[in-house]
Amino acid sequence: MAGIFNGVWELKRMALRNLARHKVKTIITCLAIMISVAVFIWMDSWLSGMALESRRNIINYEMGAAKLQTTLYFDKKDEMPTYENFAGWETYARILDEEGYNTAPRYTFSGTLYSLTGSAPIVINAVDPDAEARTLAYAGYIEFGRSIKNGEFGIALGAMTAEKLKVGIPTRPTARELEDLIAVAATNQDEEAFIRSCYTEMEVKAQFGETKEYAEGRAVGRMILKRELPRPDIDRLWNIIDATGCNDARISTVIDYKMAPDGIRKDKWDADLWPALTAQEQALVRAAYEFDEPTQAYLLVETDEAKLDAALAAMIRVDFSGAVRHVNQVIDAKIVGMINSPNPFNNYNIAYMPMDILQDEAGMMLEGRITELIIRDKELGVADMNSKKESKAAIRAALDAGLARQGLTLDESLDVFFWMDYVDFGYETSDSTSTQFITFILFFLSLFGISNTMLLATLERTKEIGMMRAMGMTDGQMIFTYMIEAAALGLIGSLLGIMLGCALNYPMVAYGWDFSEMMDQLGGNMGYRVAGNFRGTWKPATVIGSCVVATILSSFMAFFPTRRATKLSIAESLRFE
């Protein structure tokens, strides 16, 4: 046994001596492995950091940790079924507040926003401004103007949509547009000089691959709002422009509400409604309607509110169009602020306005109803996410416990939906999939680089293998020696790669990488909910795993060429070139 141990030790020493004997090959091989490992660590950190920041932004600026909604609304959320709303949310909000959660009621609807200079499709969140400020962080990113207030028909609009509609403060007008603005807004020479002082000419550099935007900038004389402009000057510029009326807006939308139809034509009953219902639902609907022979229609006869609601719910479930009524509505408002948050979702076709002014016929006839109640843990900040208290199960348990103490239960039509329920159904599925795919490609390329390096390094030494065999080494000893040598190369290279990768990754984690200009050129959409500054993240599993995988792979990749060389005769090995 001691002899075998000594023999193995001698083979290990021989393998390590080979590293020093072939210095150039050792250095080149280690450098190749080092670069592969370092690039993988850096890129994996960057992609993972973007995904993490994107998801953090979804929670902090967009939808909170969870939402209380009707189950039917969640099932049809892509259609934004505003008729699936609910009242009595104040009780749930009060109980969740006692359980340590912030909540924010919302009524979300879509429409078209018209300004004096254009129009754009828009999704409007009718909110309680104070509750939104406690629950979500976007209210702290009013770039121009101010936040919305209760009691006013005011709109806080995404900055990019505001730019498109030419409302608020233009950030990159052409020279001609700036002159037109001055002509309309300035009432005296002082205001004219002030407006001019807020802008500077955009620097346009001729370069290979010049973007369309820069080409247009050179042609028309693009101006840009000074980045370092103090807040008092921004507010003064906003007020001057606002006085022109350019921030006046009109919302064209549709109010949807559920109502059992007074009558249903027989052909629609037979073709659209009846076949889609379950046997139990057919009994409910049939009890609410009676067939009228002269009109060839089913007429509503049920007056009991509970039974009528059950029949209506069945018709809604099967998407029977006659159960939802539509009322066109036009709402006059004023844009009072522009949002430019770290989540680009808030900066585009999204607007916020007070919920209290939409309760009656002048608004959306809400009558105290909402489409969702956003929920977040009071103790968490914008850097925190995925705490146990913010899980769907924890929130539901807290809500049920609080209701039980008051002898109440959660309405059976409602449920708590976690933010990941929305991610899985389209909010960020593509982001997660693309990140995983890119990471896999990088991992594969790193493995390929290491494998190729080790294969070449071993094949080049086929003649040396022949000489060692001629001196009496067995095939097993040859394979073992070269695999140990390759493992040592992999270990040294991967350790150097870890040091280089961590050195490259540190500024990415500490400071991030500002992509704001690129984001502007790409229209603000790179598939992630990140507006401009991308940060990396530390992933110990990746760092340690890359070292282990590189070492094992290097050793494994030395097996095949060494084994191939041992299959050659000693004479053939010595003649190998």
Side-chain angles (χ1 to χ4, degrees):
M1 181 65 70
I4 294 174
F5 179 79
N6 290 333
V8 171
W9 177 247
E10 284 299 322
L11 292 176
K12 290 180 179 178
R13 290 179 61 187
M14 182 185 299
L16 296 177
R17 283 199 301 268
N18 284 339
L19 297 180
R21 190 160 56 89
H22 300 280
K23 291 185 178 66
V24 175
K25 290 182 179 179
T26 298
I27 293 173
I28 292 174
T29 304
C30 287
L31 285 175
I33 296 172
M34 177 188 73
I35 292 172
S36 296
V37 170
V39 170
F40 176 73
I41 290 174
W42 183 75
M43 287 298 296
D44 182 65
S45 167
W46 184 30
L47 293 171
S48 299
M50 285 195 294
L52 178 64
E53 188 70 15
S54 177
R55 297 182 179 200
R56 184 179 287 122
N57 286 345
I58 288 174
I59 294 174
N60 290 320
Y61 303 99
E62 189 174 333
M63 67 175 66
K67 294 181 179 182
L68 181 66
Q69 290 180 311
T70 68
T71 304
L72 286 177
Y73 187 101
F74 179 78
D75 291 341
K76 302 178 181 181
K77 59 185 175 299
D78 292 334
E79 303 171 15
M80 206 173 295
T82 54
Y83 53 84
E84 281 299 332
N85 48 49
F86 61 99
W89 57 269
E90 295 89 350
T91 299
Y92 306 132
R94 185 180 67 255
I95 288 173
L96 287 169
D97 178 70
E98 294 170 355
E99 296 293 329
Y101 295 96
N102 284 321
T103 59
R106 277 186 178 183
Y107 185 92
T108 301
F109 62 99
S110 62
T112 302
L113 182 66
Y114 294 91
S115 69
L116 295 176
T117 53
S119 63
I122 199 78
V123 173
I124 297 177
N125 293 314
V127 303
D128 177 336
D130 295 334
E132 287 277 309
R134 289 192 302 268
T135 309
L136 298 175
Y138 72 85
Y141 290 87
I142 300 293
E143 186 175 33
F144 306 132
R146 58 172 175 81
S147 300
I148 55 176
K149 298 178 181 178
N150 284 323
E152 67 172 11
F153 282 87
I155 299 174
L157 182 63
M160 299 307 294
T161 300
E163 187 82 15
K164 175 183 176 181
L165 294 178
K166 300 185 185 303
V167 297
I169 298 177
T171 58
R172 288 179 297 179
T174 64
R176 177 63 186 218
E177 289 171 342
L178 182 59
E179 292 302 319
D180 291 342
L181 173 65
I182 292 172
V184 172
T187 58
N188 53 57
Q189 290 184 346
D190 179 59
E191 288 186 348
E192 178 180 343
F194 170 72
I195 295 174
R196 291 188 191 280
S197 70
C198 293
Y199 291 86
T200 185
E201 188 174 352
M202 177 185 285
E203 294 183 6
V204 183
K205 301 177 181 178
Q207 55 186 1
F208 179 75
E210 182 179 77
T211 65
K212 180 181 178 182
E213 178 187 353
Y214 281 144
E216 291 176 348
R218 176 179 292 108
V220 301
R222 181 74 63 181
M223 308 297 290
I224 187 168
L225 186 70
K226 293 179 180 177
R227 289 182 178 269
E228 67 279 4
L229 207 62
R231 189 71 201 187
D233 286 351
I234 291 176
D235 292 340
R236 181 186 177 190
L237 181 59
W238 175 276
N239 291 333
I240 291 173
I241 295 174
D242 184 61
T244 66
C246 73
N247 290 336
D248 293 340
R250 174 167 290 180
I251 302 166
S252 175
T253 186
V254 175
I255 302 173
D256 296 333
Y257 61 95
K258 295 183 290 186
M259 179 174 287
D262 295 328
I264 305 174
R265 296 199 321 264
K266 185 177 184 303
D267 57 338
K268 290 191 66 177
W269 179 285
D270 293 338
D272 299 336
L273 179 59
W274 196 254
L277 299 171
T278 65
Q280 183 178 5
E281 290 171 338
Q282 286 177 346
L284 291 171
V285 175
R286 188 65 185 86
Y289 286 86
E290 184 177 279
F291 183 67
D292 181 62
E293 189 69 34
T295 60
Q296 288 292 294
Y298 289 86
L299 303 181
L300 182 66
V301 294
E302 182 62 70
T303 57
D304 183 272
E305 186 175 346
K307 294 179 179 179
L308 191 58
D309 286 345
L312 181 59
M315 289 188 279
I316 291 293
R317 187 193 69 78
V318 299
D319 290 326
F320 182 62
S321 59
V324 178
R325 302 199 179 183
H326 311 284
V327 177
N328 293 323
Q329 178 67 300
V330 174
I331 303 172
D332 290 321
K334 176 183 281 290
I335 297 168
V336 299
M338 296 165 57
I339 298 172
N340 191 8
S341 82
N343 184 345
F345 181 84
N346 300 98
N347 306 337
Y348 282 81
N349 293 56
I350 299 292
Y352 300 85
M353 62 189 310
M355 185 188 299
D356 64 338
I357 49 90
L358 299 178
Q359 299 297 318
D360 55 23
E361 292 80 1
M364 296 294 293
M365 296 190 292
L366 302 186
E367 297 180 348
R369 307 180 73 85
I370 64 173
T371 57
E372 60 195 46
L373 185 67
I374 292 176
I375 305 167
R376 276 229 73 185
D377 183 0
K378 289 181 178 180
E379 298 177 358
L380 297 184
V382 294
D384 304 313
M385 61 183 292
N386 291 346
S387 72
K388 291 182 180 180
K389 189 177 177 182
E390 282 197 331
S391 69
K392 177 179 178 178
I395 293 173
R396 180 60 194 265
L399 182 58
D400 288 340
L403 288 169
R405 285 196 297 271
Q406 299 187 21
L408 303 172
T409 59
L410 183 65
D411 190 301
E412 62 181 13
S413 67
L414 300 174
D415 200 358
V416 174
F417 297 98
F418 191 47
W419 71 273
M420 283 296 291
D421 295 330
Y422 283 82
V423 173
D424 292 340
F425 283 84
Y427 270 95
E428 209 195 18
T429 302
S430 59
D431 298 350
S432 179
T433 302
S434 62
T435 298
Q436 294 172 4
F437 177 75
I438 294 172
T439 302
F440 171 78
I441 292 297
L442 287 171
F443 184 67
F444 175 79
L445 291 176
S446 298
L447 294 185
F448 180 78
I450 294 171
S451 302
N452 186 58
T453 300
M454 294 310 305
L455 281 170
L456 291 176
T458 308
L459 284 173
E460 287 177 356
R461 296 170 63 182
T462 301
K463 183 181 292 187
E464 180 182 318
I465 292 172
M467 293 176 61
M468 301 292 288
R469 291 172 64 205
M471 295 173 64
M473 288 188 69
T474 66
D475 292 351
Q477 288 174 329
M478 289 300 309
I479 293 173
F480 179 78
T481 302
Y482 276 81
M483 288 184 69
I484 291 296
E485 182 180 340
L489 286 170
L491 179 61
I492 295 171
S494 59
L495 289 175
L496 293 173
I498 287 175
M499 289 188 286
L500 177 60
C502 291
L504 293 173
N505 195 39
Y506 175 78
M508 278 293 298
V509 174
Y511 308 108
W513 195 340
D514 189 359
F515 276 77
S516 55
E517 290 188 11
M518 180 184 294
M519 292 287 285
D520 287 345
Q521 296 172 23
L522 292 175
N525 184 12
M526 288 184 66
Y528 293 90
R529 298 288 209 275
V530 182
N533 191 43
F534 293 173
R535 290 178 179 269
T537 183
W538 291 113
K539 297 186 66 178
T542 297
V543 175
I544 297 172
S546 62
C547 179
V548 173
V549 170
T551 302
I552 295 175
L553 181 67
S554 298
S555 178
F556 183 71
M557 292 311 299
F559 172 81
F560 296 102
T562 306
R563 186 171 180 273
R564 176 180 176 277
T566 60
K567 294 299 182 183
L568 299 175
S569 66
I570 293 176
E572 288 176 320
S573 297
L574 293 173
R575 289 195 301 268
F576 185 85
E577 295 293 340

